[in-house]
Amino acid sequence: MKYNRSRRHFYCSLGFLLIFMSNAFAQSSDKMEWWKDAKFGMFMHWGLYSQTAGYWDGHVAKGNEHFMIHEKISLKEYATIADDFNPVNYDAEKWVLTAKAAGMKYIIITSKHHDGFAMFDSPSNDYNIKTRTPYAKDPMTELVAACHKHDMKFGFYYSLGRDWEDPDVATNWPHKGGRSNLVDYPDEDIKVFSRYFERKVKPQIKELLTQYGKIDVIWFDTPELISPEESKELRELILGIQPDCIINSRIKHGFGDYKVTEQEIVEGLEVEPWEACITMGKNWGYIEYDTIYKSSELMTRQLLEIVSKGGNLLLNNGPTAKGEITDLAQERLAEMGVWIKQNSEGIYGSKPWTVQGERLVEGSKSNQKKNTSKEENTMKDNLKDETSKEIFPEVRFTIKDGFIYAYVCSPTENNVLIKALSAQKETVIKSISRLNSSEEVTWKQNKDGLKLELPVYNTTELPITGFKIELE
């Protein structure tokens, strides 16, 4: 009997443990659902570097938004930029509505970039926009409120392991001290990360999570020398204040909820949640002479490629020092938004199909490549951007609610053959409809694939068509 009671106690305890683990997993999984369904977000890099707009001391600055260390500028001198920073044209609601019209579902903005300057009211550190600039307000208050008003999810970017204002932040990339402020703090060996962590990181993260209401994402960057114990403590700190807050992988040491790729799209299907952060132009922050942006067609193709591989696209733009989204960014986003409004059914809430994509066969021509524009060729000079700038006929697939969605991208002929949808037992097609039209679709399926007739595009349309496919 004693053995049986012990065994019953063991199974009872095991049952409680399994229920607890199941509930914990469900809570963790549930908070990610909106993020997995969202697919498309806006990344915004905004700071003192926006004021100088790519210049320093009368010349083009080295390092763009990172110019403080590349130009070897002292903290005292760099901080004088704040004397002129006054975003008088800032309109938080316009930012949010611009993102929403583009089809974006969340916004991530730099609360503190590598220069250490806080773009929010930070009582724990006076190196911030409210204390140091003529603007003398906290722009994040309005932005978070506008996001809440318009059902836009919101997150703060925070540079974790690089901070050129603090004396205790050493770096080790691409070599020892390679991304450190060595002008003001030249001795890397006396820097103690834990002091910075306690003095600045933890207080500011608490401020970001307690001053604005619900925060949906904390988006860390450059974790550098943070220890596993500190990453764990930071995660517990965040979830202790806002349990539903999502944290990206750059908290480091495996404590994030999803992984990030920068200026790069993964090769194939990713099972775990992931996000690609990609610039519209060549830079993250506002650079006055950065006027070569990716075309709307190219960025829409990138969105579809990422979604077909199970990821989200976090598309960056850098507002000006006056608080404006550039005309070029607004133009591109508006064009994407028109297309997404008509073709989003197979994007939001979708999942990858067994095939993510294929190059199209058009007529008798296989793998026919479309000439890239001068604009797209110019983008290849951006060494930091590893995403392809080629535009060629292809199809991207997703699935949702039992339907297959096929997005035919940049065709050069009116008829295409999709090999992945050849007539097989598991892919016998019952019906096909176009997402942006009620017109009947002309199609034929055989052992070679699905032959589809495409619409004729006018000059104002993105040459990408979504099809909804129902199987037998």
Side-chain angles (χ1 to χ4, degrees), residues 247-273:
I247 306 164
N248 74 341
S249 58
R250 292 183 178 180
I251 193 173
K252 205 174 180 181
H253 303 298
F255 287 99
D257 297 308
Y258 67 92
K259 83 170 192 176
V260 173
T261 67
E262 184 172 321
Q263 300 284 54
E264 184 179 9
I265 300 174
V266 298
E267 286 293 324
L269 175 65
E270 285 284 333
V271 177
E272 298 301 319

Side-chain angles (χ1 to χ4, degrees), residues 59-117:
H59 64 269
V60 172
K62 291 182 290 185
N64 303 323
E65 61 273 355
H66 300 168
F67 71 93
M68 179 180 170
I69 61 163
H70 288 274
E71 293 282 350
K72 296 181 171 53
I73 303 165
S74 71
L75 177 60
K76 182 179 179 180
E77 188 175 11
Y78 183 84
T80 62
I81 300 170
D83 297 341
D84 299 316
F85 191 84
N86 191 14
V88 292
N89 296 335
Y90 170 63
D91 184 338
E93 192 158 25
K94 184 176 180 180
W95 283 14
V96 174
L97 292 176
T98 297
K100 195 176 183 74
M104 293 163 159
K105 300 296 186 180
Y106 60 107
I107 290 175
I108 308 292
I109 191 169
T110 48
S111 67
K112 185 205 74 167
H113 204 244
H114 310 329
D115 59 7
F117 186 81

Side-chain angles (χ1 to χ4, degrees), residues 45-46 49-50 65 279 283-288 290 316-319:
H45 277 67
W46 196 38
Y49 43 83
S50 309
E65 61 273 355
T279 54
N283 300 279
W284 298 98
Y286 173 64
I287 304 294
E288 185 180 64
D290 183 3
N316 180 79
N317 79 85

